[in-house]
Each structure stands twice: as C-alpha cells, then as structure tokens.
C-alpha cells in the first residue's frame, strides 16, 4: 500500500501548473465525497431515530433526492470545465514543441527546435515553460504519463494527441507508459529532464547528453 505513496509518481505532489490543477481537483473531489458520505450517514441515523411524522417523505425526496444531487453535480461540472480549460494546450510565444513516439517497449522523443535530434527514454524540456508533447505510437495503444507534470494521454497508432506539460523547476521527473498492452509494459518507463535556461540552451547546441 505504501508503494502508492511514492512521491516521484504521485499526482498529489505536483511539480507544474497542469499537475497542480489536477491535484486541486482531486482534493476538492475527496473533500466533497467525504462531506456527502458523512451527510448521508447522518441522515440514515436520524431517520432511524426520528419521531413518526417528523418530516414529509415528499419533501425528503424533492430536496435530498433531486435538488441536492443536481446542485452538487452542476457545481462539479462547472469546476471541472474551469480545470479542463486550464489544461488545454493554448498557443503562446514561449511554447516548446516535442514529439513522443511509443513502441513496445520504449519511447523516442524528437524536438522541433532541434530537427534530427532524437533521444530514447529521456525527454529534455526547459523548466518554467509550457511544452506541447505530440504523442503517437508505432504499434499498439500506449499511454504517456508524467504524474507530477500533467495528466495521462493515450498514444494511438496513426494518430497524434497533444498534451501540455510544464515543470515549475529544473529536475528529473519520472514518466511511464500507463496502459496494459502485454508482457513487458511494466518496464515501459522514461525520464523527463527539465533544464534551467542555460542547460536548455546547452542541449539545443548539442553540448548536453
């Protein structure tokens, strides 16, 4: 059970704005579900102990069976739409474009700012800048996921999906192919290295590995 708390693959230890938004959504949903569960448990206990005729069943059905869940779902929908908008890959002057090509079982990354340069199982990005990852697959469906930087997105053969990631600070971040597709998928991992400005420039000039 403690293996699920490992920080390098934890969605509740965000290291970038997209992952931060997802973590906020997770905590809001957790708090809401706990509050609703306690409310329902309290109502069940009250129903067992209430005096006969203390409340109208019709009012119970209208307010707690219809009004309450519709209000909660509407609020969650609005909040989810706001979070979703923050995760979309909008255009901007600082956006860096890279490619991620999956296969059984490895990743190959390319760089729009450095044509012809590819790296295997290691993705280089600049820190504190948005990065659009164009994701595809050579064989079967895989899934690109860096839990501390962004959500998960499928790599589909013959199709390109784009995911916006961003690292708030330089460092190394663990990624994995989070899609079961046969023996060997558990080792389908990669590393994202976020460079500071000098390190990114050195990478573009071919001075970094």
């Amino acid at each position: 059970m403690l293996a699920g708390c490992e920080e390098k693959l934890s969605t509740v230890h965000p290291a970038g704005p997209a992952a931060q938004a997802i973590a906020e959504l997770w905590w809001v949903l957790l708090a809401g579900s706990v509050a609703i569960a306690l409310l329902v448990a309290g109502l069940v206990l009250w129903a067992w102990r209430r005096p006969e005729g203390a409340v109208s069943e019709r009012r119970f059905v209208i307010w707690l069976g219809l009004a309450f869940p519709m209000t909660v779902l509407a609020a969650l929908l609005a909040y989810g739409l706001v979070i979703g908008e923050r995760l979309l890959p909008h255009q901007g002057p600082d956006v860096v474009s890279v490619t991620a090509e999956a296969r059984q079982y490895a990743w190959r990354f390319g760089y729009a700012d450095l044509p012809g340069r590819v790296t295997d199982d290691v993705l280089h990005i600049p820190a504190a800048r948005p990065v659009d990852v164009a994701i595809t697959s050579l064989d079967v469906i895989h899934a690109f996921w860096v839990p501390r930087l962004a959500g998960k997105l499928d790599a589909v053969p013959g199709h390109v999906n784009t995911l916006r990631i961003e690292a708030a600070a330089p460092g190394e971040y663990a990624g994995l192919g989070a899609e079961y597709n046969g023996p060997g998928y558990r080792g389908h991992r990669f590393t994202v290295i976020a460079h500071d400005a000098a390190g990114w420039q050195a990478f573009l000039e071919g001075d970094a590995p």
Side-chain angles (χ1 to χ4, degrees), residues 89-109:
H90 298 292
Q91 294 297 320
D94 294 332
V95 176
V96 174
S97 297
V98 301
T99 61
E101 185 181 74
R103 64 185 186 278
Q104 294 176 309
Y105 287 100
W107 291 90
R108 173 161 290 186
F109 301 105

Side-chain angles (χ1 to χ4, degrees), residues 28-183:
V28 167
L29 292 176
L30 177 63
S33 63
V34 170
I36 292 172
L38 292 175
L39 172 63
V40 171
L43 289 172
V44 170
L45 292 175
W46 176 81
W48 283 347
R49 294 173 174 269
R50 70 181 175 89
E52 188 68 30
V55 67
S56 165
E57 284 78 3
R58 178 182 177 86
R59 183 176 299 176
F60 229 79
V61 170
I62 292 175
W63 287 105
L64 293 176
L66 295 175
F68 178 71
M70 291 177 65
T71 301
V72 171
L73 291 175
L76 289 176
L77 174 61
Y79 184 67
L81 290 174
V82 172
I83 293 294
E85 179 65 22
R86 290 166 58 185
L87 298 177
L88 291 176
H90 298 292
Q91 294 297 320
D94 294 332
V95 176
V96 174
S97 297
V98 301
T99 61
E101 185 181 74
R103 64 185 186 278
Q104 294 176 309
Y105 287 100
W107 291 90
R108 173 161 290 186
F109 301 105
Y111 306 86
D113 293 333
L114 195 59
R117 178 72 183 272
V118 296
T119 54
D120 291 323
D121 296 324
V122 178
L123 171 61
H124 296 265
I125 65 171
R129 290 180 62 183
V131 178
D132 284 350
V133 186
I135 304 165
T136 190
S137 171
L138 287 179
D139 39 41
V140 298
I141 295 178
H142 301 275
F144 179 97
W145 192 28
V146 189
R148 298 191 65 208
L149 298 185
K152 180 175 69 173
L153 194 61
D154 281 346
V156 180
H159 184 75
V160 176
N161 291 322
T162 301
L163 178 69
R164 169 69 55 86
I165 68 174
E166 183 176 342
E172 293 190 7
Y173 304 92
L176 68 158
E179 182 79 30
Y180 175 77
N181 44 41

